[in-house]
Amino acid sequence: RVMQSARVVLLLGCPTPVVTRLAFASRAPPARPKSPRYARLRGGQPEAVAAILKPAYAAAPTDDEIGRRLVSAYLLTGSYADALPVLESYLTRNPTDPDALFAAVLAKYQLTLAAGNTLTAAEQTALRKYASAYKGPQAALMARSLTAMGVGR
């Protein structure tokens, strides 16, 4: 699934370093780098990370560190439907985080186009909001993704 996510990003014309950004890898190292949940994410076991962090996130949904790690695991496994609610919650507290904004648009793009769904007016409004708040290096890719989903600016 990691290769599937990477392939999708590369097909969209996105350079390889963005795959890393999608997993929030650009963040500072965790406070406890020896923790098994972080070692598993770095060690290529995102399914195990998601299994460990899902109950922790349910118990503390406003813990942004847990949320970022859980989203990373979900994105790496292609679990976009699981990642989206965590991202949306995170973005209510961190509305200008470029990595989260980009990841939210990517997740919605995958869910919309893969399933052949159309977006509701509320989803389109949320995506426009994410795009206008995004100030990162992948603005052109984000604009193409929105256009592909039928979202006008």
Side-chain angles (χ1 to χ4, degrees):
R1 289 188 182 198
V2 173
M3 290 308 295
Q4 175 188 13
S5 297
R7 188 175 340 106
V8 167
V9 171
L10 291 173
L11 286 174
L12 292 173
C14 188
T16 304
V18 173
V19 175
T20 305
R21 290 183 59 79
L22 291 178
F24 294 96
S26 64
R27 300 277 179 206
R32 296 181 306 162
K34 302 272 186 210
S35 172
R37 67 183 182 203
Y38 301 128
R40 287 184 178 142
L41 187 57
R42 288 189 309 269
Q45 299 177 17
E47 293 89 355
V49 173
I52 291 168
L53 291 180
K54 188 175 180 179
Y57 180 76
T62 59
D63 185 323
D64 290 338
E65 182 64 23
I66 292 173
R68 280 194 305 267
R69 299 292 174 176
L70 183 57
V71 165
S72 295
Y74 283 151
L75 292 176
L76 288 170
T77 60
S79 301
Y80 302 108
D82 293 325
L84 206 51
V86 179
L87 280 164
E88 290 168 347
S89 174
Y90 175 83
L91 284 167
T92 62
R93 293 180 304 282
N94 304 280
T96 60
D97 182 321
D99 293 336
L101 291 165
F102 187 84
V105 171
L106 172 74
K108 186 51 84 173
Y109 177 88
Q110 289 300 318
L111 291 171
T112 302
L113 295 183
N117 296 331
T118 54
L119 297 169
T120 65
E123 291 171 322
Q124 289 186 24
T125 299
L127 288 169
R128 277 194 221 61
K129 178 180 165 185
Y130 297 158
S132 67
Y134 182 74
K135 305 295 183 231
Q138 300 302 326
L141 176 60
M142 186 175 285
R144 285 194 309 266
S145 298
L146 292 175
T147 299
M149 290 186 282
V151 177
R153 290 199 122 200

